[in-house]
């Protein structure tokens, strides 16, 4: 089928195939690049928030807790401000109230928490188990579907490293009365030093980031498509003007030469005139046109010489025929005279 196509459609088809292949390849590559960039952006935001929360926890443990801990035995109600986790959650709530952090979630998820709001879900409990099984594991992150939305999570193990923390979480007997009065004696006890009791988790919505990345990829691919389409149209235009149009008079002239259909008058041959225009170019087609022009001129010269020779032969033939006719007439006349003389002679003798 391709053999039956002309040069322009064949070239357009080839460019279209290259164009489609390039679009597919660039689309896949661009999609991966934008997705990777989106992942890096989400991961960066999550790590930044994790560092912020750890800074808050550190400040609370080092600066606030020492001031409030003595009041735990004197206050009738437990002071949650003494807990680093509480301070981190309160700060994060203030951050998540801002529009750009809407949907972000921070959670100190514990297997056996004092406040049941901090209890691990099934996914978080599995992460705690992995941290317990591998003490060298410092962080887990990835993407999960949470409440129908794709989110990026980053988790680190919550490990009791300070013996002072066990006062509230070893046994109910050792716990401050205000803690028992507020949360009861059933939950949040039995924790061990240097053992992961939960995970510090941050969940970052990623659907919007990936949506923006996909829109960017679509926009860039759209620009590529427009550029390729313009390039194809431009190349086809230049191909037709600079290659196909100059070749056409050569092809027609070659066909006429092959079929011996050249006009007798060189000045009335339109293809030869068009060939002269192409021959003025200094490129390869111009060189080819000049060769065709020389060949056509040579053929015309031979044809004219042949025609002239035919005319000369025709004239000579007519002259010869005329001489032969005159000679024949003269011979006939002489024969008639001889016959007449013979008749007269025979009559006189008789």
């Amino acid at each position: 089928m391709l053999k039956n196509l002309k040069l322009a459609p064949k070239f357009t088809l080839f460019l279209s195939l290259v164009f489609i292949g390039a679009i597919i390849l660039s689309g896949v590559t661009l999609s991966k690049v934008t997705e990777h960039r989106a992942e890096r952006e989400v991961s960066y935001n999550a790590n930044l928030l994790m560092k912020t929360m750890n800074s808050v926890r550190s400040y609370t443990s080092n600066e606030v807790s020492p001031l409030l801990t003595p009041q735990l035995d004197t206050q009738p109600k437990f002071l949650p401000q003494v807990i680093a986790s509480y301070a981190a959650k309160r700060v994060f709530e203030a951050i998540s109230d801002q529009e750009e952090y809407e949907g972000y979630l921070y959670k100190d998820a514990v297997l056996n928490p004092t406040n049941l709001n901090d209890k691990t879900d099934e996914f978080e409990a599995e992460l705690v188990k992995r941290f317990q099984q591998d003490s060298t594991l410092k962080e887990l992150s990835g993407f999960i579907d949470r409440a129908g939305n794709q989110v990026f999570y980053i988790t680190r193990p919550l490990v009791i490293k300070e013996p002072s923390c066990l006062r509230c979480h070893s046994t109910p007997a050792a716990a401050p009365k205000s803690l028992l009065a507020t949360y009861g004696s059933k939950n949040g006890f039995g924790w061990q030093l240097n053992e992961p009791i939960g995970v510090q988790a941050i969940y970052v919505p990623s659907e919007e980031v990936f949506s923006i990345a996909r829109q960017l990829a679509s926009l860039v691919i759209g620009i590529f498509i427009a550029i390729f389409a313009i390039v194809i149209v431009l190349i086809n235009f230049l191909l037709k003007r600079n290659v196909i149009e100059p070749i056409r008079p050569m092809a027609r002239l070659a066909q006429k030469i092959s079929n011996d259909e050249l006009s007798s008058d060189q000045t009335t041959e339109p293809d030869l005139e068009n060939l002269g225009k192409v021959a003025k170019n200094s490129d390869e087609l111009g060189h080819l046109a000049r060769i065709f022009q020389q060949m056509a001129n040579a053929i015309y010269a031979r044809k004219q010489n042949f025609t002239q020779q035919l005319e000369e032969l025709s004239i000579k033939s007519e002259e010869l025929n005329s001489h032969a006719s005159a000679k024949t007439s003269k011979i006939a006349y002489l024969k008639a005279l001889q016959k007449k003389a013979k008749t007269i002679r025979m009559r006189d003798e008789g």
Side-chain angles (χ1 to χ4, degrees):
M1 185 180 74
L2 292 177
K3 293 181 179 179
N4 298 327
L5 291 177
K6 293 185 178 180
L7 184 60
K10 189 180 296 185
F11 200 74
T12 301
L13 178 61
F14 174 75
L15 283 179
S16 299
L17 293 176
V18 173
F19 162 69
I20 293 172
I23 288 297
I24 293 175
L25 181 61
S26 60
V28 172
T29 303
L30 184 62
S31 177
K32 290 183 178 180
V33 170
T34 53
E35 285 185 6
H36 180 65
R37 181 177 179 182
E39 289 179 8
R40 287 176 56 190
E41 181 180 348
V42 172
S43 177
Y44 173 79
N45 290 337
N47 276 285
L48 182 61
L49 289 172
M50 181 68 78
K51 291 178 180 179
T52 303
M53 294 304 100
N54 284 335
S55 297
V56 173
R57 291 173 65 92
S58 178
Y59 171 78
T60 303
S61 298
N62 297 329
E63 303 291 338
V64 179
S65 293
L67 298 176
L68 297 179
T69 298
Q71 301 181 34
L72 295 179
D73 293 324
T74 59
Q75 293 291 332
K77 189 175 181 180
F78 183 74
L79 298 175
Q81 292 81 4
V82 75
I83 303 175
S85 176
Y86 175 83
K89 284 191 292 184
R90 295 293 292 173
V91 170
F92 195 87
E93 287 173 3
I95 293 175
S96 61
D97 286 339
Q98 301 178 36
E99 184 177 355
E100 59 266 32
Y101 292 102
E102 184 179 357
Y104 284 55
L105 176 65
Y106 172 81
K107 183 180 180 182
D108 284 336
V110 181
L111 293 173
N112 181 23
T114 301
N115 187 341
L116 293 180
N117 291 330
D118 298 329
K119 187 170 180 59
T120 57
D121 57 23
E122 184 178 351
F123 171 71
E124 293 161 345
E126 185 63 30
L127 295 178
V128 175
K129 185 182 296 185
R130 292 181 62 182
F131 282 120
Q132 290 175 341
Q133 292 173 349
D134 186 358
S135 59
T136 62
L137 198 59
K138 302 301 180 184
E139 182 178 290
L140 289 172
S141 62
F143 291 89
I144 61 168
D145 186 77
R146 194 176 181 88
N149 297 316
Q150 186 185 40
V151 297
F152 176 81
Y153 70 90
I154 180 171
T155 58
R156 293 177 182 176
L158 279 175
V159 181
I160 300 299
K161 296 182 179 180
E162 297 294 333
S164 58
C165 294
L166 294 180
R167 183 190 175 194
C168 297
H169 300 289
S170 58
T171 62
K177 293 180 180 180
S178 58
L179 175 68
L180 298 175
T182 304
Y183 296 106
S185 59
K186 293 183 179 180
N187 302 305
F189 299 104
W191 295 6
Q192 301 294 326
L193 280 176
N194 300 317
E195 182 179 320
I197 59 161
V199 291
Q200 184 185 16
I202 288 182
Y203 298 96
V204 178
S206 59
E207 190 65 36
E208 184 177 355
V209 176
F210 279 97
S211 177
I212 294 174
R214 286 191 290 269
Q215 290 176 6
L216 177 62
S218 299
L219 176 62
V220 174
I221 291 175
I223 294 174
F224 282 168
I225 291 175
I227 292 174
F228 272 109
I230 293 173
V231 168
I232 287 179
V233 172
L234 183 60
I235 289 178
N236 271 280
F237 171 75
L238 295 175
L239 177 69
K240 183 177 180 181
R241 191 183 71 172
N242 297 325
V243 178
I244 296 177
E245 290 298 334
I247 287 178
R248 281 176 178 170
M250 300 184 204
R252 288 194 296 264
L253 196 60
Q255 185 69 33
K256 289 180 180 180
I257 292 173
S258 174
N259 297 333
D260 195 20
E261 296 175 351
L262 283 176
S263 60
S264 57
D265 188 359
Q266 186 175 359
T267 59
T268 61
E269 183 59 60
D271 289 324
L272 198 59
E273 182 180 355
N274 294 332
L275 195 64
K277 296 178 182 178
V278 180
K280 295 178 181 179
N281 298 333
S282 58
D283 55 12
E284 289 80 359
L285 286 176
H287 178 66
L288 181 62
R290 287 190 290 273
I291 294 175
F292 261 88
Q293 197 175 38
Q294 293 171 3
M295 181 179 66
N297 290 335
I299 292 174
Y300 267 110
R302 291 176 185 175
K303 191 172 184 179
Q304 289 176 354
N305 290 334
F306 181 71
T307 302
Q308 186 176 358
Q309 289 176 359
L310 284 178
E311 290 177 354
E312 291 177 355
L313 288 174
S314 177
I315 293 172
K316 289 181 179 180
S317 176
E318 289 178 358
E319 290 178 351
L320 290 174
N321 289 335
S322 177
H323 288 307
S325 178
K327 187 175 182 180
T328 302
S329 299
K330 189 174 182 180
I331 292 172
Y333 176 72
L334 291 175
K335 286 183 177 180
L337 287 178
Q338 287 178 352
K339 186 176 181 181
K340 187 176 181 180
K342 185 177 180 181
T343 302
I344 293 172
R345 201 169 39 248
M346 289 177 63
R347 188 181 59 188
D348 292 340
E349 290 176 357

